[in-house]
Amino acid sequence: MRIEDYALIGDMQSAALVGLDGSIDWLCLPRFDSPSCFAALLGNERNGHWWLGPTGRPPATRRRYRPDTLILESEWDTPTGTVRLIDFMPPRDKNPDVVRIVEGVSGEVEISTQVRVRFDYGRIVPWVRRSDGHLQAIGGPDSVWLHSPVPLKGGDYAHRATFTVREGERVPFVFTWHPSHEPMPRQISAEHQLAETEAMWLDWVARCTHEGPYREAVVRSLITLKALTYAPTGGIVAAPTTSLPEDLGGVRNWDYRFCWLRDATLTLDALITSGYIDEASEWRAWLLRAIAGRPQDLQIMYGVAGERRLPELELTWLDGYEASRPVRIGNSAVNQLQLDVYGEVMNCLFSSRKMGLGADDRAWAIQRELLDYVEEHWDEPDEGLWEVRGPRRHFTHSKVMCWVALDRGIRYVEEFGRSGPVERWKELRAVVHAEICDKGYDPVRNTFTQSYGSSELDAALLLIPLVGFLPADDPRVLGTVAAIEKELLADGFVLRYPVAEDNDVDGLAGGEGAFLACSFWLVEVMAMQGRKQEAEDLFRRLLGLRNDLGLLAEEYDPRYARLVGNFPQAFSHVPLVHAARALS
């Protein structure tokens, strides 16, 4: 399966990827960042999968989400009839469930299924037993039950069945996880949970305030972002997958199942501006718990419950997606210094307050601490927005976001009556602004550069007008945008920065695709500059990169005309929402 051949289902605590052929090839339980029980996505079927569909395993003829929900419906037209597969994960009570309902639409169709449960990222072959007609797989701390009226037969460390479904018949399968030391959980009703899940999503989408010509794309992106929220804590993961490559067959493979402060703040901004203030309140509570402590201990990412230790490991027994190795879990970038996150956090909390989020004394106290840290460390080199694994630099974007942190702190005091050393902050804000315009700008080429003293460009410079550092029509911004359009476009889409053998900025081998977030940033800037038609044209091209279900990965590789990177990616859907708003 190509990355774009997958669909997302989830319960706002974990998620599964369902292929075009009806196979669930990725599922981690009970949390986004838990070890998987299906890992065929990063290896092969012997690493765990659950296929369900017409015998012969053809790809679905068509599929869709039920309108305004995360309930997937895949349909197959066969010589003997048409069949529909309904896949979803109901919002959980205690235990996570995956529900699959086979529905006969017309005629009769022979259906087959094969289940291989493999715990610990495909490494543990569980012990399987049958109890009262149901299957239980158990291995170490994990246990799953598969409930269905269809009897499954074991063999070759898998369980299979073949049955016929006729018009009007519905055959349910319910897959439930629980800790292996606990008794069998209460069995749920597939049909009841289907109705409850649909009602929940319809009620949530009804709160969306976005209007305009791109509402369908915006709503699908917002549903995707909501699905990446970890409901118990309010944390938001960057993606539900790990190690889907940025370069097919390469080493740029990372675990994105964690809460980046940057991604989460941008996600919250998209949700807030679309009418979802409750999510902002929950995320602020998560943030205050996660970063509690000394400001110098602030991390760029945390676990979904606020965990701080996320050690990076390589899973040598998995071959990787299309032989893209290594497969990694954890992320050592957690230890990096990325000064831009201070600006993103301050901007998000300021925006949330302006959109109606209530005052919080503890939140402001922590913001004061963060600003104290920015005052002391803004002039240090860091690893920057792109988490480079090369040497630290004075990245221009990082300095801009330090300016944003100070600016939003000043505005917080002035607009909301908070106390703080505003005059000192104003003086420093002016110093930072002047230094960036002096050291981060190349007057000969009329463009800002990736870092001080560098000749390279960086698509993150497109954020300069979007965060209010300079107006969109400032000659230096116009020159920067023109340079990016000249040097960083691939098939009309924006690359993050030049990746070449003689450029050691990220310390990694191989190339990568066009970064979709950067292309959406260009749409926004074009709109701000009055280039409405160009912005519309690029936005429509970007919408055309979504898969048939409206989902985007992190990047698009023009060489292969394929989506690459972890999927679906919050950092792609967030700027889609902002760009649509800019064009509406």
Side-chain angles (χ1 to χ4, degrees):
M1 291 286 159
R2 300 172 304 167
I3 290 172
E4 53 264 45
D5 288 334
Y6 285 98
L8 175 77
I9 59 173
D11 64 358
M12 288 160 290
Q13 294 191 47
S14 186
L17 293 190
V18 185
L20 190 61
D21 62 348
S23 180
I24 298 179
D25 289 346
W26 182 252
L27 175 62
C28 299
L29 294 174
R31 305 192 334 178
F32 291 107
D33 56 351
S34 297
S36 67
C37 56
F38 299 138
L41 180 71
L42 300 178
N44 57 55
E45 291 180 357
R46 292 190 174 274
N47 299 122
H49 80 125
W50 179 9
W51 167 61
L52 179 61
T55 301
R57 202 166 176 174
T61 307
R62 56 192 164 272
R63 60 181 180 172
R64 65 161 194 163
Y65 286 117
R66 285 193 179 182
D68 294 346
T69 76
L70 201 64
I71 299 169
L72 176 67
E73 296 186 335
S74 306
E75 293 184 351
W76 287 263
D77 295 332
T78 76
T80 60
T82 297
V83 66
R84 178 181 298 127
L85 175 61
I86 304 169
D87 286 317
F88 66 100
M89 293 178 68
R92 71 181 72 169
D93 178 17
K94 180 180 179 182
N95 302 105
D97 302 286
V98 176
V99 179
R100 317 192 77 179
I101 301 173
V102 181
E103 178 185 11
V105 178
S106 65
E108 62 178 38
V109 181
E110 185 180 83
I111 302 295
S112 295
T113 187
Q114 175 174 274
V115 184
R116 292 182 188 271
V117 178
R118 296 292 186 269
F119 297 124
D120 194 25
Y121 301 104
R123 192 175 190 182
I124 295 177
V125 179
W127 174 62
V128 181
R129 70 183 180 96
R130 195 180 308 275
S131 176
D132 296 327
H134 306 292
L135 288 180
Q136 181 192 27
I138 186 169
D142 300 293
S143 177
V144 296
W145 288 85
L146 181 56
H147 307 285
S148 176
V150 177
L152 284 86
K153 183 178 180 180
D156 190 28
Y157 299 102
H159 281 75
R160 302 174 180 84
T162 299
F163 60 98
T164 299
V165 63
R166 297 171 179 82
E167 181 177 345
E169 294 180 343
R170 292 165 73 95
V171 181
F173 293 79
V174 178
F175 183 92
T176 304
W177 179 95
H178 69 102
S180 60
H181 64 275
E182 294 184 356
M184 173 182 171
R186 178 179 60 87
Q187 185 177 345
I188 65 170
S189 164
E191 296 291 350
H192 175 74
Q193 289 300 321
L194 175 60
E196 290 285 315
T197 302
E198 183 169 25
M200 182 278 296
W201 281 112
L202 292 176
D203 179 68
W204 188 81
V205 170
R207 293 160 46 200
C208 178
T209 58
H210 181 91
E211 298 294 340
Y214 302 110
R215 180 177 167 82
E216 176 274 328
V218 168
V219 167
R220 180 49 52 194
S221 290
L222 292 172
I223 290 173
T224 303
L225 296 174
K226 178 65 173 175
L228 299 180
T229 302
Y230 185 67
T233 66
I236 301 173
V237 298
T241 57
T242 179
S243 299
L244 288 179
E246 298 170 11
D247 182 22
L248 293 174
V251 300
R252 296 171 182 263
N253 317 316
W254 316 109
D255 193 347
Y256 277 13
R257 299 170 301 154
F258 306 116
C259 301
W260 270 256
L261 293 187
R262 176 188 307 109
D263 295 47
T265 56
L266 296 174
T267 299
L268 257 297
D269 195 36
L271 289 168
I272 291 166
T273 56
S274 301
Y276 294 102
I277 199 69
D278 289 347
E279 281 73 11
S281 178
E282 293 167 1
W283 181 82
R284 184 174 69 180
W286 173 87
L287 173 72
L288 297 181
R289 293 191 303 269
I291 70 175
R294 302 182 304 169
Q296 60 264 39
D297 295 331
L298 180 74
Q299 297 182 180
I300 64 166
M301 74 177 85
Y302 298 85
V304 293
E307 296 88 352
R308 299 193 177 199
R309 287 185 288 114
L310 310 173
E312 187 174 300
L313 305 172
E314 295 183 4
L315 306 185
T316 57
W317 61 88
L318 291 174
D319 292 333
Y321 179 85
E322 293 196 13
S324 304
R325 304 180 71 177
V327 172
R328 297 181 173 96
I329 59 170
N331 200 312
S332 62
V334 69
N335 300 312
Q336 289 188 353
L337 174 64
Q338 297 177 20
L339 292 169
D340 65 292
V341 298
Y342 293 87
E344 276 120 15
V345 169
M346 289 295 299
N347 183 62
C348 182
L349 292 173
F350 174 74
S351 299
S352 301
R353 190 76 177 83
K354 283 187 72 71
M355 292 296 293
L357 188 64
D360 187 295
D361 293 340
R362 181 169 169 242
W364 177 243
I366 290 179
Q367 288 172 265
R368 286 282 306 269
E369 293 289 332
L370 297 181
L371 287 172
D372 288 345
Y373 184 82
V374 170
E375 286 188 86
E376 293 294 323
H377 299 277
W378 72 270
D379 56 352
E380 296 179 5
D382 71 341
E383 277 89 3
L385 167 71
W386 305 126
E387 299 178 0
V388 300
R389 301 206 173 191
R392 287 183 176 180
R393 288 172 165 80
H394 290 281
F395 286 103
T396 302
H397 170 262
S398 295
K399 307 301 185 189
V400 169
M401 295 311 295
C402 287
W403 177 91
V404 168
L406 293 163
D407 179 74
R408 301 314 189 258
I410 293 165
R411 294 171 64 184
Y412 215 100
V413 170
E414 293 177 340
E415 297 185 31
F416 303 124
R418 290 292 182 174
S419 62
V422 173
E423 294 307 315
R424 191 176 78 217
W425 289 344
K426 285 183 176 180
E427 290 178 9
L428 182 57
R429 181 179 63 178
V431 169
V432 175
H433 196 283
E435 181 184 288
I436 294 169
C437 293
D438 177 37
K439 297 182 178 180
Y441 175 72
D442 183 344
V444 176
R445 298 171 62 203
N446 187 29
T447 180
F448 284 95
T449 59
Q450 184 177 56
S451 60
Y452 291 177
S454 169
S455 62
E456 301 291 354
L457 294 175
D458 191 320
L461 301 170
L462 292 168
L463 293 168
I464 286 175
L466 299 184
V467 299
F469 183 80
L470 286 173
D473 59 356
D474 184 282
R476 292 163 292 185
V477 173
L478 294 173
T480 301
V481 174
I484 288 173
E485 291 184 81
K486 180 181 179 181
E487 300 181 30
L488 288 186
L489 293 189
D491 193 28
F493 303 111
V494 183
L495 302 170
R496 290 190 295 176
Y497 49 81
V499 177
E501 294 296 329
D502 59 350
N503 181 16
D504 65 345
V505 66
D506 61 14
L508 296 167
E512 64 177 16
F515 205 80
L516 295 176
C518 303
S519 301
F520 284 115
W521 295 341
L522 181 57
V523 171
E524 281 195 82
V525 174
M526 285 177 169
M528 293 175 71
Q529 293 178 340
R531 301 162 60 187
K532 184 73 177 295
Q533 190 58 55
E534 292 176 86
E536 293 269 6
D537 292 344
L538 177 55
F539 188 68
R540 291 194 181 98
R541 287 195 69 205
L542 286 163
L543 291 185
L545 299 183
R546 299 178 302 160
N547 74 356
D548 56 315
L549 297 169
L551 303 179
L552 287 169
E554 184 178 32
E555 300 180 6
Y556 171 75
D557 196 327
R559 296 173 297 177
Y560 311 113
R562 291 181 57 180
L563 294 178
V564 292
N566 284 303
F567 174 87
Q569 173 67 248
F571 207 45
S572 297
H573 286 279
V574 166
L576 183 158
V577 174
H578 290 315
R581 189 173 72 243
L583 294 173
S584 295

